[in-house]
Amino acid sequence: MIDGTVARKTVTANDFGSKFDSTADLIFVAVCLIKLIEHYGEAM
């Protein structure tokens, strides 16, 4: 999730990368939440 900050600091950011990074971060967070819910659902 820090790659966007690195891209901006190194001036390598572009429009496609910005949109792709946001989408990838959203998918990553969603998958992590699903896995956490599955894990804690089994523990109960």
Side-chain angles (χ1 to χ4, degrees):
M1 296 179 122
I2 197 167
D3 56 336
T5 303
V6 171
R8 286 188 294 278
K9 297 247 184 216
T10 59
V11 193
T12 56
N14 60 34
D15 288 337
F16 172 75
S18 174
K19 290 178 180 147
F20 182 74
D21 181 55
S22 296
T23 303
D25 289 344
L26 179 66
I27 292 169
F28 175 74
V29 169
V31 169
C32 287
L33 284 173
I34 290 168
K35 291 298 183 182
L36 282 172
I37 291 169
E38 287 176 356
H39 176 72
Y40 285 110
E42 291 174 0
M44 294 184 153

